[in-house]
Amino acid sequence: MQSCEISSDSTDDPLSSGLRTHRQPRIVVIGAGLAGLAATKILLENGFTDVRVLEASDHIGGRVQSFQHGKATLELGATWIHGANGNPVYHLAEDNGLLEHTTDGERSVGRISLYTKNGVAHYQTNSGKRIPKDLVEEFSDLYNEVYELTQEFFQNGKPVCAESQNSVGVFTRDVVRKKIMLDPDDSESTKKLKLSMLQQYLKVESCESSSASMDEVSLSEFGEWTEIPGAHHVIPGGFMKIVELLAQDIPSRTICLSKPVRCIHWNFSAQQQEEIARGSNTNQGNNHNDNNRGCQPHEYPLIVGHPVCVECEDEEWITADHVIVTASLGVLKESHEAMFSPSLPEDKVLAIEKLGISTTDKIFLEYAEPFWSPECNSIQFVWEDEAQLEQLVYPEELWYKKICSFDVLYPPERYGYMLSGWICGQEALLMERCDDELVAEICTELLRRFTGNPNIPKPRRILRSSWGSNPYIRGSYSFTRVGSNGGDFERLAMPLPYAKSTKAPPLQVLFAGEATHRKYYSTTHGALLSGQREATRLIEMYQDLHSAETTKPNL
């Protein structure tokens, strides 16, 4: 990508010339997560100086949230760099020495990432018995064989049969069950145990997909998500280091924290702006920017001529030529009607409604001493009474049955003796409503029950995420729900107004975030790349405008 060579302070630089005015285009970025920071970084590097980032929460990072705990960093949000070859997050980490202390065990090549590839997963039943290792491996081979089949529908254009209801969960449960029941070598008790393990595997898969249930995930689209080759990596110093690298060259005054947006008014007429400008004198006392670290109030009145106005919750109105929206799919689902005026086009609304997002939460438990054996890398909960169930729907008071496992954080020299539990869907939201004491008690009872060890102590500390109830996030990450397809990610990413439908100023509202990347949705590299994509879209537009201006013949 070429930077603008002429100083951005010049009144005739490519950006100003492209607008045929003597000012820089004004760009507002909504959200200071990976997508927003990546977009801002590239815009500033390419000579755009009138850029402002509005972040609703009191910190940057979005769904990256690293918590310092002694020598260790616990990740409440993003944890793994998924893949290495060509992954911009991996290269950012590698180039800046963030992976120097990553152990070999933290370079997992498995499809489902644990905190370490070393050791053995202990599959425990609710009667307190451990399932034999050879039986686990036998079932795992069967499950992975069927998992590969789920990829073929998209990758090979294989038609989906009606019985599957185009659902990964329905298809997987049906095929695996048939294979289990037709195995002549297994006893009835072994078959029941494998059927119970199937339900546990699907719970883990739901946490991976951030879906309430794999029944919600589209079978025909499941194989489109693209895995980057290479291992999954943990960043020992915390994923927040990636956020800090993106933000380090962004002036602090550019980022406004605790600045939630109420509404984005796009295709804004000059008459509407004049009305607001006249009324702005009476609202100057309501400007709360003085309380925002690193955010200075505008000393000039609103300038007529910008097609977008961003209305903030603190009553400030900010005019702009372009707004890059990086709000999560969960926030868009909840708030898009109030968040955009005029309303979003129908096809974009349908994309928001069709695509899926749910909540995957972590529960960290710290102990003075380990109660698990040295080779144990995780404790997997297998409920034997769920073997024949079609859908796992729990009463509210039984939300804890959705906790699928506890991983052992490794190495202990860094983390001490720490477990990380996983829960997703509506049950995760119910967990978020409980206090720490209750969650710690329930987790202790579960661990005692499944390990058969009544002497397991309560943890000396608990820490957990709450992505579902966070009003500025509303979920963990996106997935292709039954009825949606990869085109919905692209429709969500299309800038407004649509180029062919209007003569209005172009690229007024742009969209970035993991849910706008067709191949890499749900990932940190998808989020980062989407922010770079939208910044590049603006850069190229102004470069094209400047080229048209400089090549125009003299008449």
Side-chain angles (χ1 to χ4, degrees), residues 18 75 109 204 280 309:
E75 304 288 10
V109 293
V204 173
S280 66
C309 272

Side-chain angles (χ1 to χ4, degrees), residues 441-457:
E441 285 179 6
I442 287 174
C443 289
T444 302
E445 288 305 311
L446 281 173
L447 289 164
R448 288 171 179 171
R449 179 176 184 176
F450 279 84
T451 61
N453 179 0
N455 299 316
I456 292 175

Side-chain angles (χ1 to χ4, degrees), residues 117-132:
K117 65 183 180 183
N118 298 333
V120 179
H122 286 205
Y123 285 79
Q124 306 282 155
T125 69
N126 55 298
S127 58
K129 297 177 182 177
R130 182 181 171 189
I131 300 174

Side-chain angles (χ1 to χ4, degrees), residues 275-285 301-302:
E275 290 172 1
I276 292 171
R278 283 196 297 271
S280 66
N281 293 329
T282 61
N283 289 330
Q284 284 178 358
L302 292 170

